[in-house]
Amino acid sequence: MKYARHLLWGGVTLLAGCAALPSALTATHQASLQIMPQVIAGRHVQASLAEGYTASDIHHFKVRLDKLAGDGVDPQQTPIVVTGEGSAANKGLTITSLASNTTYRLTAFAYKAADEGAESLINDPASSSVDVPVGTGLNAGYKTLPVALINKLFSGTATGSLSLTEGQFITLPTQVKYGALVTTLPATGYDTPYTVVYDSSGNLFFTSYNRIYKMDSSGVVTLFAGSSITGETDSDNPFQATFTNLQGITIDPSNNLYVSDNRLLRKITPQGKVTTLAGSYASGDNNSGTGNVARFGNMFGLAADAAGNVYGADIDYNKIRKFTPSGNLMSMSTIAGNGGTTELHGPTGLARDNDGNLYVADAAHARICKLRYNGSGFDPLVTIAGGTFGGTDGQGTSASIRYARTLTLLKNGSLMFTDEDGPFNTYVRLLSPSGRVSTVAGGAIGNGGFPGPFWGYVDGRGSEAGLSLSYGAAAHPTDGTVVMTDLFNGRLRKVSF
């Protein structure tokens, strides 16, 4: 669970037993159970205070009834699930056709939105459970099902007024610890890990100089493509293919990988076949071209869509490129940037949402900008955050940004980006759907003015964490965490919100 674990306790009053049932129902030994939600508002106050969810935040809830057998749930029985609106606290729910003289385990699940994903769950089910014996007759038994609401994730300055992601404010008299937790994955010692991407099964792929590695969901790392030899050789055998200087990486819904390799765009199928789609090692720039006629620079930010199109942030020529399938090759076009520094300057990170909009980390302009997809093409670039140099949190363009590098879209609609304050000091920041920029991790400085015991390699929460330069980050497909590269430490870092 991504939220702070200070619990708010509510309750659901249960009325167990049988009403005056028809003779046919009595003969089959069935019973009914009435659930009267009584969620209690309030908060659990501690030093690390965070605003808590209340009954008004509940969009709907579910109650699951598992039939017990012995000391646990009967695996042969299908759970009964009932749903109620948040307003059901005043109405109650009635479940009929339950087996009499049977004990059920009731577990509550409270959601803040119609979506029932992990982002919407606002209680702790493990602490929201009770066993209820359902008997027979007219004598009713009463018990309470606790609904343990969790605290809201918050971020902001470490003292005074804390800005909550839910848009509320609280004032604290003392300093508190807050923010995202940064840890280091077991995979270490890789040469220049630039960028990362997840597939739909939770496998992580990352680029490291002239190799692509795969980390499975259990943390085991294996070589996926490339070798110790540098070059530009395509091959059906991924270990006979060669790469020169891998940078960006992305993936399409069919789990095809696309990488930028110096000035080439290359594809690796799930089976490991490597082909070159566009570009040439020869330097140069043009706005369009197919295959090796296309000329573009280095691209750290890549994104792909379901139609097989690939988008790239060209940091050398300050352009956003689009690559469209053309037989066994790709045709390149330019959708933003004029080649100078007035429109884009050092675009690095790139992300795409489900509506086809593109988001660009425009590093040297200290901003995050958006290319809105209008159904047939893209509208002009619009600044949605930053535009002035600095590290001040705030709303939209009132926030200031240093050098935004990595950019990735989270499941809740927020954009996470890394903000570089020199190559050995990087901050993790969030741009919420409402446009607020918040710093959630980074900035730890060690002895001699250098960050951490290595180049920024410090695990911790919020400002206790230290990170070096990162060019790539990827959101896990289900659990809400993010893995980012730590270039100068040769490590992969995990960010938990």
Side-chain angles (χ1 to χ4, degrees), residues 319-330:
K319 295 179 179 180
I320 305 301
R321 313 288 196 169
K322 179 180 180 180
F323 299 87
T324 304
S326 178
N328 294 325
L329 302 173
M330 279 193 156

Side-chain angles (χ1 to χ4, degrees), residues 82-288:
V82 293
T83 303
E85 298 177 355
S87 61
N90 299 320
K91 301 176 182 178
L93 294 171
T94 300
I95 309 165
T96 59
S97 301
L98 299 178
S100 61
N101 296 317
T102 302
T103 299
Y104 290 90
R105 178 163 296 163
L106 277 68
T107 305
F109 301 84
Y111 298 96
K112 65 178 181 179
D115 170 42
E116 294 185 357
E119 299 287 340
S120 181
L121 187 67
I122 59 172
N123 78 308
D124 181 11
S127 303
S128 305
S129 180
V130 69
D131 294 347
V132 179
V134 177
T136 59
L138 300 177
N139 295 324
Y142 294 90
K143 283 194 175 181
T144 298
L145 171 62
V147 180
L149 301 182
I150 59 177
N151 284 352
K152 299 177 181 179
L153 174 70
F154 66 98
S155 61
T157 58
T159 57
S161 209
L162 296 181
S163 171
L164 306 180
T165 58
E166 299 295 330
Q168 302 177 40
F169 291 87
I170 54 176
T171 301
L172 300 179
T174 57
Q175 186 173 11
V176 299
K177 296 179 180 180
Y178 75 98
L181 177 65
V182 179
T183 55
T184 301
L185 296 182
T188 61
Y190 292 94
D191 187 16
T192 58
Y194 270 122
T195 51
V196 291
V197 71
Y198 275 107
D199 68 13
S200 57
S201 300
N203 299 304
L204 183 75
F205 299 85
F206 61 97
T207 62
S208 177
Y209 186 40
N210 57 358
R211 298 176 178 91
I212 300 169
Y213 290 94
K214 174 183 177 181
M215 178 188 290
D216 66 20
S217 57
S218 62
V220 176
V221 179
T222 55
L223 180 65
F224 185 72
S227 69
S228 60
I229 302 172
T230 61
E232 53 184 291
T233 303
D234 292 344
S235 177
D236 290 345
N237 184 331
F239 309 117
Q240 292 180 359
T242 58
F243 302 91
T244 297
N245 185 21
L246 289 163
Q247 295 147 351
I249 188 169
T250 191
I251 196 166
D252 67 19
S254 299
N255 286 330
N256 296 299
L257 292 173
Y258 300 87
V259 295
S260 53
D261 181 18
N262 204 349
R263 300 180 182 91
L264 302 179
L265 180 66
R266 308 180 74 181
K267 176 181 178 180
I268 305 96
T269 67
Q271 295 75 34
K273 181 179 179 179
V274 178
T275 55
T276 300
L277 303 175
S280 168
Y281 278 133
S283 62
D285 166 44
N286 53 25
N287 285 327
S288 62

Side-chain angles (χ1 to χ4, degrees), residues 411-466:
K411 289 186 66 175
N412 64 2
S414 295
L415 285 166
M416 191 203 93
F417 65 97
T418 59
D419 194 5
E420 175 201 341
D421 186 14
F424 308 121
N425 194 19
T426 290
Y427 295 85
V428 178
R429 307 182 75 181
L430 293 179
L431 173 59
S432 74
S434 64
R436 180 169 179 80
V437 176
S438 301
T439 303
V440 296
I445 301 295
N447 293 330
F450 292 100
F454 299 99
W455 302 110
Y457 170 47
V458 184
D459 287 346
R461 184 176 294 279
S463 59
E464 294 180 343

